[in-house]
Amino acid sequence: MARYETVLDTIGNTPIIKLQKLAPEGVNVYCKVESFNPMGSVKDRMALAIIEKAEQTGTLRPGQTVIESTSGNTGIGLAMVCAQKGYPLVITMSESSSVERRKLMRFLGARVVLTPASEKGSGMLKKAIELAELHGYFLCRQFDNDANPDVHTRTTAAEILADFAGEKIDYFVSGFGTGGTLLGISRRLKQADKTTKIVAVEPDNSQMLASGIAQARDPSGNISASHPNFRPHLMQGWAPDFISSLIERAQSEQLIDEIAAVSGSEAMNLARQLAQKEGIFVGTSAGATLAGALIIAKRSAPGTNIVCMLPDTGERYLSTPLFDDISTDMNEEELALSRSTASCRFDVSSTPSKPAVKAAPVAIDEEARKFVEATVANHSVVLFALEWCEFCWSARKLFNRLDIPFKSIDIDSVAFQKNDQGRKIREVLAHHTGAVTIPQIYIGGKHIGGCTDLFDAVVDGSAEKLLREAGIAPKNADGVNPYEFLPKWLQPRSMTV
């Protein structure tokens, strides 16, 4: 292990892993696993390269806002780079991209402007150009920027060649989005050995390169329309609705020897097989690239060396069809395992029944009693809570959604640890309400109950009545189902246990 000055120094030097189970007998299929980059994708390399080149040339000023259009991985890489270097970042992204990508970018400090799915990749690019021109932002132009392929020539390809020193690379297989990875690596590999074959992979229902139809552009060279062969497909980050200038360069330089077409179903199948048979966790686009590599492998002689790019991690795809068949509930086999031993089961209680024992009375602390009563009297909505309890967070989320001001008394927080105040307050609440659980909620001085009691009161209208009597009018209430704020593991089960 090494010591690094910043997270940016950890980009690159990703491993090449040989497949042991999915490749045909005797054929060597190697994967360049780019999820080992700090933000989990190959785009980390390009994000840093574009920003550093702009700094060196002076086209990016200190503190200037950076903007780019992306399906997610470039934006996540840029969010990391901009966070470390101190640049504000705006991302334009089609609403059809997975929600976890939006959240990751926003978590890293970026602003994400969504564009209609009907406008496709060219729509999010158009929006980025408009915003850059209006607000004076630095536009990365990943689909045209020379820094994109150059970083792959300098780093990614160099790493591959170093890992195969003294050995022949027969095929290099990659999908394409911007085209920077394919162009940059192909240039260096071809320079090292002209006999290395470059295979570009694209969706079988959206074959733009294989069509031979040129991309429509205006006199300034900008994309003027979607490519006529584009169709929606499953591979996020792959094959937008246009052919980028970087891919056009790869074609004009005659770097691409073959084009392989793969289906979305095969891409998902191989992404799952990579996880379950090789232990390599990747997304749909990586599964698609491997599908292209296996097309080559199945017709290749023993001893052939094939290298393919696995561009990102499977965590980018949790809300996509890739995970549709992955349940959060136990299946029948898992339920059978659960029932095979006596304890910790959902279908029976694992605690033997005992005769009820009347608890000894607890002496109520007078100071704690006065605190609880004063808090309830002085605040229209009071939540006696635990700081990180999921039920307490669910109640807070509902109040925030309805724009209801509330006082949260977090009895396990540092503020209430002195003289064991939190425990004393809890004993007062149990004495007043007869309930030992937390949270306990009051509206207009009236005890409502716990989290689900609050949700029931919202549904039957009694909570709104109490709120209005206390002078509070809930907002944004239309269409709100309070039970959606419960933790996912408490949502209604899809099967009976």
Side-chain angles (χ1 to χ4, degrees):
M1 299 297 291
R3 293 171 59 179
Y4 300 97
E5 289 297 313
T6 77
V7 68
L8 306 183
D9 298 326
T10 69
I11 295 172
N13 293 310
T14 55
I16 285 181
I17 300 173
K18 183 181 180 181
L19 297 185
Q20 300 296 324
K21 299 175 182 177
L22 297 181
E25 183 71 28
V27 178
N28 305 314
V29 178
Y30 296 91
C31 301
K32 182 72 166 164
V33 187
E34 289 294 293
S35 60
F36 280 74
N37 281 303
M39 285 296 106
S41 91
V42 68
K43 300 298 186 181
D44 291 359
R45 299 175 186 264
M46 179 255 285
L48 178 60
I50 286 178
I51 296 302
E52 287 187 335
K53 180 182 177 182
E55 289 175 328
Q56 292 162 6
T57 59
T59 53
L60 174 60
R61 303 185 305 274
Q64 185 180 8
T65 295
V66 175
I67 188 169
E68 183 57 311
S69 62
T70 171
S71 64
N73 282 329
T74 296
I76 293 165
L78 281 170
M80 169 190 62
V81 174
C82 289
Q84 202 286 320
K85 287 179 170 286
Y87 297 105
L89 176 66
V90 173
I91 293 297
T92 60
M93 186 170 74
S94 171
E95 63 177 336
S96 59
S97 296
S98 64
V99 294
E100 48 268 33
R101 299 178 187 221
R102 304 180 204 173
K103 287 191 171 185
L104 281 167
M105 287 183 282
R106 287 174 174 146
F107 190 84
L108 286 159
R111 289 171 286 171
V112 180
V113 177
L114 298 178
T115 57
S118 59
E119 299 297 325
K120 296 167 281 194
S122 54
M124 66 185 189
L125 176 57
K126 180 180 180 182
K127 189 68 172 180
I129 293 171
E130 290 175 348
L131 291 172
E133 291 175 348
L134 177 64
H135 299 288
Y137 297 159
F138 168 73
L139 179 61
C140 293
R141 295 188 179 275
Q142 61 170 325
F143 295 97
D144 309 290
N145 197 318
D146 287 333
N148 184 351
D150 288 351
V151 72
H152 292 295
T153 299
R154 288 187 290 105
T155 68
T156 323
E159 293 166 20
I160 293 171
L161 289 171
D163 287 339
F164 283 87
E167 297 181 65
K168 180 175 175 54
I169 300 173
D170 296 289
Y171 291 93
F172 173 72
V173 184
S174 178
F176 63 91
T178 65
T181 303
L182 183 63
L183 174 60
I185 295 176
S186 299
R187 281 173 171 168
R188 182 73 179 268
L189 295 186
K190 287 283 193 181
Q191 184 182 44
D193 184 350
K194 292 181 180 179
T195 67
T196 297
K197 297 290 190 297
I198 307 300
V199 181
V201 191
E202 60 182 350
D204 64 352
N205 68 326
S206 186
Q207 297 184 56
M208 295 182 289
L209 291 188
S211 72
I213 301 172
Q215 174 63 50
R217 296 181 180 274
D218 64 23
S220 300
N222 295 319
I223 305 296
S224 60
S226 295
H227 192 279
N229 264 37
F230 173 80
R231 299 293 183 275
H233 56 81
L234 281 178
M235 283 69 101
Q236 288 189 32
W238 251 35
D241 63 310
F242 56 88
I243 299 174
S244 74
S245 66
L246 298 180
I247 282 293
E248 288 174 336
R249 275 188 244 173
Q251 290 178 303
S252 65
E253 294 176 25
Q254 299 183 331
L255 295 173
I256 300 173
D257 297 290
E258 184 174 341
I259 300 169
V262 299
S263 68
S265 59
E266 184 64 4
M268 291 195 295
N269 173 52
L270 282 170
R272 291 167 183 155
Q273 287 197 54
L274 270 168
Q276 295 171 12
K277 294 184 177 181
E278 302 280 355
I280 301 173
F281 185 46
V282 295
T284 310
S285 55
T289 308
L290 178 59
L294 292 181
I295 290 173
I296 304 301
K298 288 171 184 176
R299 69 173 196 232
S300 296
T304 301
N305 287 334
I306 302 169
V307 179
C308 70
M309 290 293 292
L310 303 187
D312 66 2
T313 171
E315 290 180 354
R316 303 283 142 86
Y317 300 83
L318 295 174
S319 64
T320 74
L322 181 61
F323 281 79
D324 274 355
D325 296 332
I326 308 300
S327 176
T328 57
D329 295 316
M330 289 189 287
N331 60 28
E332 288 302 323
E333 182 182 2
E334 292 162 339
L335 284 168
L337 279 173
S338 172
R339 293 165 180 156
S340 67
T341 64
S343 65
C344 301
R345 290 164 56 174
F346 289 102
D347 54 341
V348 295
S349 172
S350 59
T351 305
S353 59
K354 296 180 180 178
V357 177
K358 188 174 182 180
V362 175
I364 299 301
D365 182 83
E366 185 64 16
E367 184 178 343
R369 182 189 65 78
K370 290 179 180 179
F371 173 82
V372 169
E373 292 176 354
T375 301
V376 171
N378 293 330
H379 299 278
S380 298
V381 180
V382 180
L383 174 70
F384 290 96
L386 303 175
E387 275 193 295
W388 304 111
C389 164
E390 290 179 299
F391 293 98
C392 301
W393 271 105
S394 298
R396 291 188 188 101
K397 288 177 182 177
L398 176 64
F399 287 143
N400 288 330
R401 171 65 181 273
L402 300 180
D403 199 18
I404 296 171
F406 65 95
K407 178 70 173 178
S408 183
I409 303 298
D410 300 334
I411 61 175
D412 63 336
S413 65
V414 172
F416 290 95
Q417 289 177 7
K418 185 178 180 181
N419 298 325
D420 207 13
Q421 288 174 293
R423 178 187 60 80
K424 294 172 183 177
I425 291 170
R426 189 164 189 162
E427 289 172 351
V428 171
L429 291 170
H431 178 74
H432 280 186
T433 68
V436 297
T437 56
I438 296 292
Q440 292 300 322
I441 301 162
Y442 292 78
I443 298 178
K446 181 176 179 180
H447 177 242
I448 298 297
C451 175
T452 55
D453 298 313
L454 170 66
F455 291 174
D456 290 342
V458 169
V459 171
D460 66 24
S462 58
E464 182 175 359
K465 182 175 182 294
L466 289 172
L467 286 165
R468 293 191 181 278
E469 289 174 355
I472 299 172
K475 301 176 184 177
N476 310 314
D478 291 346
V480 171
N481 175 9
Y483 301 99
E484 292 179 355
F485 295 99
L486 286 170
K488 296 300 181 185
W489 59 270
L490 285 171
Q491 301 289 338
R493 296 180 181 276
S494 62
M495 61 178 72
T496 303
V497 296

